[in-house]
Amino acid sequence: VQLVESGGGSVQAGGSLRLSCVAAESNAKSSMINYCMGWFRQSPGKEREGVAAISTSGVTYYAESAKGRFTISQDYARNTVYLQMNDLKPEDTAMYYCAAGETAPCNLQQWRYKFWGQGTQVTVSS
């Protein structure tokens, strides 16, 4: 499954961005309805961390840092997963990655995710 992220950019603190993740191929294996979909991020010098995930039944999971500000959603008709990020802070600056996992249960444990995108950069200035 090839995942392609987009929507990153540079914003000021307090601003918003919406990240998108689409499966590049159009076939049954690439259908996101089959996977737990997650968003992760990595800042320079830091380990990659989970941000949000959504199960095949639509149950969502968020890191504490994302609760109340970020929303993960899915559009199966477009085979796309989104991450709406509001009230962005400088500490949200990172490369954001989309990932697809097959191993239940769906959560933010990175080892559960088999397919990863190349990432999209988010930079938040103060």
Side-chain angles (χ1 to χ4, degrees), residues 27-73:
N27 55 53
K29 181 180 179 181
S30 298
S31 177
M32 288 184 178
I33 199 170
N34 298 318
Y35 300 96
C36 166
M37 299 300 302
W39 285 97
F40 298 82
R41 68 186 183 186
Q42 187 169 21
S43 304
K46 295 185 178 181
E47 293 187 355
R48 188 168 58 191
E49 61 178 1
V51 177
I54 187 165
S55 74
T56 56
S57 58
V59 179
T60 56
Y61 308 84
Y62 294 96
E64 284 298 321
S65 60
K67 288 180 180 178
R69 299 188 301 128
F70 294 2
T71 302
I72 187 170
S73 61

Side-chain angles (χ1 to χ4, degrees), residues 6-118:
S6 62
S10 297
V11 295
Q12 290 189 327
S16 298
L17 284 172
R18 188 177 78 158
L19 306 183
S20 299
C21 171
V22 61
E25 301 101 341
S26 179
N27 55 53
K29 181 180 179 181
S30 298
S31 177
M32 288 184 178
I33 199 170
N34 298 318
Y35 300 96
C36 166
M37 299 300 302
W39 285 97
F40 298 82
R41 68 186 183 186
Q42 187 169 21
S43 304
K46 295 185 178 181
E47 293 187 355
R48 188 168 58 191
E49 61 178 1
V51 177
I54 187 165
S55 74
T56 56
S57 58
V59 179
T60 56
Y61 308 84
Y62 294 96
E64 284 298 321
S65 60
K67 288 180 180 178
R69 299 188 301 128
F70 294 2
T71 302
I72 187 170
S73 61
Q74 59 206 16
D75 184 341
Y76 289 141
R78 299 179 185 272
N79 214 22
T80 302
V81 172
Y82 303 98
L83 184 67
Q84 177 67 43
M85 304 187 295
N86 298 327
D87 189 24
L88 283 161
K89 304 176 181 181
E91 51 264 42
D92 294 317
T93 295
M95 184 71 78
Y96 282 72
Y97 298 91
C98 173
E102 298 175 298
T103 305
C106 182
N107 55 35
L108 294 175
Q109 292 177 306
Q110 296 185 45
W111 66 268
R112 299 185 183 279
Y113 293 82
K114 183 176 181 180
F115 305 104
W116 293 81
Q118 293 299 307

